[in-house]
Short mmCIF file of all heavy atoms in Angstrom, two decimals:
data_model
loop_
_atom_site.label_atom_id
_atom_site.label_comp_id
_atom_site.label_asym_id
_atom_site.label_seq_id
_atom_site.Cartn_x
_atom_site.Cartn_y
_atom_site.Cartn_z
N PRO R 323 -2.49 -12.84 34.64
CA PRO R 323 -1.74 -12.23 33.55
C PRO R 323 -0.70 -11.24 34.03
O PRO R 323 -0.75 -10.76 35.17
CB PRO R 323 -2.84 -11.52 32.75
CG PRO R 323 -3.82 -11.10 33.81
CD PRO R 323 -3.83 -12.22 34.81
N ASN R 324 0.22 -10.91 33.15
CA ASN R 324 1.12 -9.80 33.40
C ASN R 324 0.37 -8.48 33.23
O ASN R 324 0.48 -7.58 34.06
CB ASN R 324 2.29 -9.85 32.42
CG ASN R 324 3.25 -8.70 32.60
OD1 ASN R 324 3.99 -8.65 33.57
ND2 ASN R 324 3.22 -7.76 31.67
N PHE R 325 -0.42 -8.40 32.16
CA PHE R 325 -1.14 -7.16 31.85
C PHE R 325 -2.25 -7.50 30.85
O PHE R 325 -1.98 -7.77 29.69
CB PHE R 325 -0.16 -6.15 31.24
CG PHE R 325 -0.78 -4.87 30.74
CD1 PHE R 325 -1.31 -3.94 31.61
CD2 PHE R 325 -0.82 -4.57 29.39
CE1 PHE R 325 -1.87 -2.75 31.15
CE2 PHE R 325 -1.36 -3.39 28.90
CZ PHE R 325 -1.90 -2.48 29.79
N ASP R 326 -3.47 -7.59 31.34
CA ASP R 326 -4.62 -7.85 30.48
C ASP R 326 -5.51 -6.62 30.42
O ASP R 326 -5.67 -5.91 31.43
CB ASP R 326 -5.44 -9.04 31.00
CG ASP R 326 -4.93 -10.37 30.45
OD1 ASP R 326 -3.89 -10.37 29.76
OD2 ASP R 326 -5.57 -11.40 30.73
N VAL R 327 -6.10 -6.39 29.25
CA VAL R 327 -6.98 -5.24 29.04
C VAL R 327 -8.37 -5.76 28.71
O VAL R 327 -8.55 -6.52 27.76
CB VAL R 327 -6.47 -4.36 27.89
CG1 VAL R 327 -7.37 -3.13 27.73
CG2 VAL R 327 -5.03 -3.94 28.13
N MET R 328 -9.36 -5.37 29.53
CA MET R 328 -10.75 -5.70 29.28
C MET R 328 -11.52 -4.44 28.89
O MET R 328 -11.26 -3.37 29.44
CB MET R 328 -11.39 -6.32 30.52
CG MET R 328 -11.32 -7.83 30.59
SD MET R 328 -9.67 -8.49 30.74
CE MET R 328 -9.23 -8.02 32.39
N ALA R 329 -12.43 -4.56 27.94
CA ALA R 329 -13.22 -3.43 27.46
C ALA R 329 -14.69 -3.65 27.79
O ALA R 329 -15.30 -4.61 27.30
CB ALA R 329 -13.03 -3.25 25.96
N LEU R 330 -15.25 -2.79 28.64
CA LEU R 330 -16.68 -2.83 28.94
C LEU R 330 -17.34 -1.70 28.14
O LEU R 330 -17.17 -0.52 28.46
CB LEU R 330 -16.92 -2.66 30.44
CG LEU R 330 -16.66 -3.90 31.30
CD1 LEU R 330 -15.16 -4.16 31.46
CD2 LEU R 330 -17.31 -3.75 32.68
N THR R 331 -18.04 -2.09 27.11
CA THR R 331 -18.61 -1.15 26.15
C THR R 331 -20.12 -1.33 26.08
O THR R 331 -20.67 -2.23 26.74
CB THR R 331 -17.98 -1.39 24.77
OG1 THR R 331 -18.21 -2.76 24.37
CG2 THR R 331 -16.46 -1.14 24.80
N PRO R 332 -20.85 -0.50 25.32
CA PRO R 332 -22.31 -0.64 25.24
C PRO R 332 -22.75 -2.07 24.94
O PRO R 332 -22.20 -2.74 24.07
CB PRO R 332 -22.67 0.31 24.10
CG PRO R 332 -21.64 1.39 24.19
CD PRO R 332 -20.37 0.68 24.57
N ARG R 333 -23.77 -2.54 25.71
CA ARG R 333 -24.21 -3.93 25.60
C ARG R 333 -25.59 -4.06 26.23
O ARG R 333 -26.06 -3.19 26.95
CB ARG R 333 -23.21 -4.85 26.32
CG ARG R 333 -23.06 -4.53 27.80
CD ARG R 333 -21.79 -5.10 28.38
NE ARG R 333 -21.67 -4.85 29.83
CZ ARG R 333 -21.20 -3.73 30.33
NH1 ARG R 333 -20.84 -2.72 29.54
NH2 ARG R 333 -21.11 -3.57 31.64
N TRP R 334 -26.23 -5.20 25.95
CA TRP R 334 -27.53 -5.51 26.54
C TRP R 334 -27.35 -6.37 27.78
O TRP R 334 -26.49 -7.26 27.81
CB TRP R 334 -28.40 -6.26 25.54
CG TRP R 334 -29.06 -5.37 24.53
CD1 TRP R 334 -28.59 -5.04 23.29
CD2 TRP R 334 -30.32 -4.70 24.67
NE1 TRP R 334 -29.46 -4.20 22.65
CE2 TRP R 334 -30.54 -3.98 23.47
CE3 TRP R 334 -31.27 -4.64 25.69
CZ2 TRP R 334 -31.67 -3.21 23.26
CZ3 TRP R 334 -32.41 -3.88 25.48
CH2 TRP R 334 -32.60 -3.17 24.28
N LEU R 335 -28.17 -6.11 28.80
CA LEU R 335 -28.26 -6.96 29.97
C LEU R 335 -29.61 -7.67 29.93
O LEU R 335 -30.66 -7.02 29.91
CB LEU R 335 -28.15 -6.14 31.26
CG LEU R 335 -26.89 -5.28 31.42
CD1 LEU R 335 -26.93 -4.53 32.75
CD2 LEU R 335 -25.63 -6.11 31.32
N VAL R 336 -29.60 -8.99 29.89
CA VAL R 336 -30.84 -9.75 29.73
C VAL R 336 -30.98 -10.89 30.72
O VAL R 336 -31.99 -11.60 30.71
CB VAL R 336 -30.96 -10.31 28.29
CG1 VAL R 336 -30.99 -9.18 27.27
CG2 VAL R 336 -29.82 -11.27 27.99
N ALA R 337 -29.98 -11.12 31.59
CA ALA R 337 -30.05 -12.24 32.52
C ALA R 337 -31.25 -12.11 33.45
O ALA R 337 -31.55 -11.04 33.96
CB ALA R 337 -28.76 -12.32 33.33
N GLU R 338 -31.96 -13.22 33.66
CA GLU R 338 -33.16 -13.23 34.50
C GLU R 338 -32.81 -13.74 35.90
O GLU R 338 -31.89 -14.53 36.08
CB GLU R 338 -34.22 -14.13 33.88
CG GLU R 338 -34.69 -13.67 32.51
CD GLU R 338 -35.72 -14.62 31.93
OE1 GLU R 338 -35.41 -15.82 31.78
OE2 GLU R 338 -36.84 -14.16 31.62
N GLY R 339 -33.59 -13.27 36.90
CA GLY R 339 -33.37 -13.73 38.26
C GLY R 339 -31.94 -13.53 38.73
O GLY R 339 -31.41 -14.32 39.51
N THR R 340 -31.31 -12.46 38.26
CA THR R 340 -29.88 -12.26 38.46
C THR R 340 -29.60 -10.87 39.00
O THR R 340 -30.22 -9.89 38.55
CB THR R 340 -29.13 -12.47 37.12
OG1 THR R 340 -29.24 -13.83 36.74
CG2 THR R 340 -27.67 -12.10 37.24
N PHE R 341 -28.68 -10.78 39.93
CA PHE R 341 -28.17 -9.47 40.34
C PHE R 341 -27.21 -9.02 39.24
O PHE R 341 -26.13 -9.58 39.06
CB PHE R 341 -27.43 -9.59 41.67
CG PHE R 341 -26.93 -8.27 42.19
CD1 PHE R 341 -27.78 -7.37 42.81
CD2 PHE R 341 -25.59 -7.93 42.06
CE1 PHE R 341 -27.32 -6.15 43.29
CE2 PHE R 341 -25.12 -6.72 42.53
CZ PHE R 341 -25.98 -5.82 43.15
N ARG R 342 -27.62 -8.02 38.47
CA ARG R 342 -26.91 -7.69 37.23
C ARG R 342 -25.63 -6.88 37.40
O ARG R 342 -24.69 -7.06 36.62
CB ARG R 342 -27.87 -6.98 36.27
CG ARG R 342 -28.92 -7.93 35.70
CD ARG R 342 -29.84 -7.20 34.77
NE ARG R 342 -30.79 -8.10 34.14
CZ ARG R 342 -31.79 -7.69 33.34
NH1 ARG R 342 -31.93 -6.39 33.11
NH2 ARG R 342 -32.60 -8.57 32.81
N PRO R 343 -25.55 -5.95 38.36
CA PRO R 343 -24.25 -5.29 38.51
C PRO R 343 -23.20 -6.30 38.95
O PRO R 343 -23.53 -7.36 39.48
CB PRO R 343 -24.52 -4.25 39.61
CG PRO R 343 -26.00 -4.06 39.62
CD PRO R 343 -26.58 -5.38 39.23
N PRO R 344 -21.92 -5.99 38.73
CA PRO R 344 -20.88 -6.89 39.24
C PRO R 344 -21.04 -7.08 40.75
O PRO R 344 -21.15 -6.11 41.50
CB PRO R 344 -19.57 -6.15 38.91
CG PRO R 344 -19.93 -5.26 37.77
CD PRO R 344 -21.35 -4.85 38.00
N GLY R 345 -21.08 -8.33 41.19
CA GLY R 345 -21.30 -8.61 42.60
C GLY R 345 -20.05 -8.40 43.43
O GLY R 345 -18.98 -8.04 42.92
N TYR R 346 -20.16 -8.63 44.72
CA TYR R 346 -19.00 -8.53 45.60
C TYR R 346 -18.01 -9.63 45.26
O TYR R 346 -18.39 -10.78 45.02
CB TYR R 346 -19.43 -8.65 47.06
CG TYR R 346 -20.34 -7.53 47.50
CD1 TYR R 346 -21.67 -7.77 47.83
CD2 TYR R 346 -19.87 -6.22 47.57
CE1 TYR R 346 -22.52 -6.73 48.22
CE2 TYR R 346 -20.69 -5.19 47.97
CZ TYR R 346 -22.02 -5.45 48.28
OH TYR R 346 -22.84 -4.41 48.66
N HIS R 347 -16.73 -9.29 45.25
CA HIS R 347 -15.73 -10.29 44.87
C HIS R 347 -14.35 -9.91 45.40
O HIS R 347 -14.07 -8.75 45.69
CB HIS R 347 -15.68 -10.48 43.35
CG HIS R 347 -15.42 -9.23 42.57
ND1 HIS R 347 -16.35 -8.23 42.41
CD2 HIS R 347 -14.32 -8.81 41.89
CE1 HIS R 347 -15.86 -7.26 41.67
NE2 HIS R 347 -14.62 -7.58 41.35
N ARG R 348 -13.52 -10.92 45.52
CA ARG R 348 -12.10 -10.77 45.85
C ARG R 348 -11.33 -11.58 44.81
O ARG R 348 -11.63 -12.76 44.60
CB ARG R 348 -11.79 -11.30 47.25
CG ARG R 348 -12.37 -10.46 48.38
CD ARG R 348 -12.08 -11.08 49.72
NE ARG R 348 -12.79 -12.35 49.88
CZ ARG R 348 -12.48 -13.27 50.78
NH1 ARG R 348 -11.44 -13.08 51.59
NH2 ARG R 348 -13.17 -14.38 50.86
N ASN R 349 -10.37 -10.95 44.18
CA ASN R 349 -9.65 -11.61 43.09
C ASN R 349 -8.18 -11.77 43.45
O ASN R 349 -7.60 -10.97 44.19
CB ASN R 349 -9.76 -10.80 41.80
CG ASN R 349 -11.18 -10.81 41.24
OD1 ASN R 349 -12.00 -11.62 41.63
ND2 ASN R 349 -11.45 -9.89 40.34
N CYS R 350 -7.57 -12.78 42.84
CA CYS R 350 -6.13 -12.99 43.05
C CYS R 350 -5.30 -12.02 42.22
O CYS R 350 -4.07 -12.01 42.32
CB CYS R 350 -5.75 -14.44 42.70
SG CYS R 350 -5.99 -14.88 40.97
#
Side-chain angles (χ1 to χ4, degrees):
N324 179 73
F325 174 69
D326 272 5
V327 183
M328 268 65 71
L330 283 74
T331 58
R333 60 199 183 277
W334 280 93
L335 304 181
V336 298
E338 298 178 302
T340 293
F341 183 78
R342 288 180 176 175
Y346 297 113
H347 56 288
R348 291 177 293 162
N349 292 344
C350 64

